[in-house]
Amino acid sequence: QVQLVESGGGLVQAGGSLRLSCAASGRTFSRYGVGWFRQAPGKEREFVAAISWSGGNTYYADSVKARFTISRDNTKNTVYLQMNSLNAEDTAVYYCAADLSAPRYYAVYEYDYWGQGTQVTVSS
């Protein structure tokens, strides 16, 4: 069982940066792949980035590639999402999700565990 808590969201001006954190409980978190997803009002939840259990593999949606960086510190049971050059289209609730096996890392249905989300609002 894994419990996830996101933090770090807030209001930022276009062009600014935020770093989201996903803190996990559970001794075996280092075995879990983790994904970040986001959901804007009236839209479906969409994939943002994912990282393998070791941190050796990372994946990004085209819309955030070169602007966002996902990383993890397994000694702290935490996964991070560094977001730079934010724009209004990045406004959404951001969720982290975890699963022992998520070969389709971009798919919402692959993940068994989800956090409650953190709001990111980018003002233009």
Side-chain angles (χ1 to χ4, degrees), residues 31-34 53 98-105 109-112:
R31 296 167 52 192
Y32 285 72
V34 174
W53 64 271
D99 203 273
L100 281 172
S101 176
R104 287 168 290 276
Y105 53 84
Y109 59 78
E110 283 284 310
Y111 296 87
D112 284 340

Side-chain angles (χ1 to χ4, degrees), residues 27-74:
R27 293 175 295 175
T28 60
F29 179 66
S30 60
R31 296 167 52 192
Y32 285 72
V34 174
W36 282 98
F37 291 77
R38 66 187 181 186
Q39 188 165 19
K43 296 188 177 181
E44 293 189 353
R45 194 168 297 189
E46 65 174 5
F47 170 73
V48 175
I51 190 166
S52 61
W53 64 271
S54 67
N57 294 299
T58 57
Y59 311 92
Y60 298 93
D62 287 343
S63 59
V64 307
K65 204 171 292 184
R67 299 189 299 124
F68 291 10
T69 302
I70 189 171
S71 61
R72 68 188 298 161
D73 184 343
N74 284 339

Side-chain angles (χ1 to χ4, degrees), residues 72-107:
R72 68 188 298 161
D73 184 343
N74 284 339
T75 66
K76 297 181 178 179
N77 274 9
T78 302
V79 172
Y80 304 98
L81 184 69
Q82 177 66 45
M83 307 187 296
N84 299 329
S85 301
L86 287 162
N87 57 60
E89 288 69 40
D90 296 316
T91 294
V93 177
Y94 283 70
Y95 300 88
C96 66
D99 203 273
L100 281 172
S101 176
R104 287 168 290 276
Y105 53 84
Y106 47 83

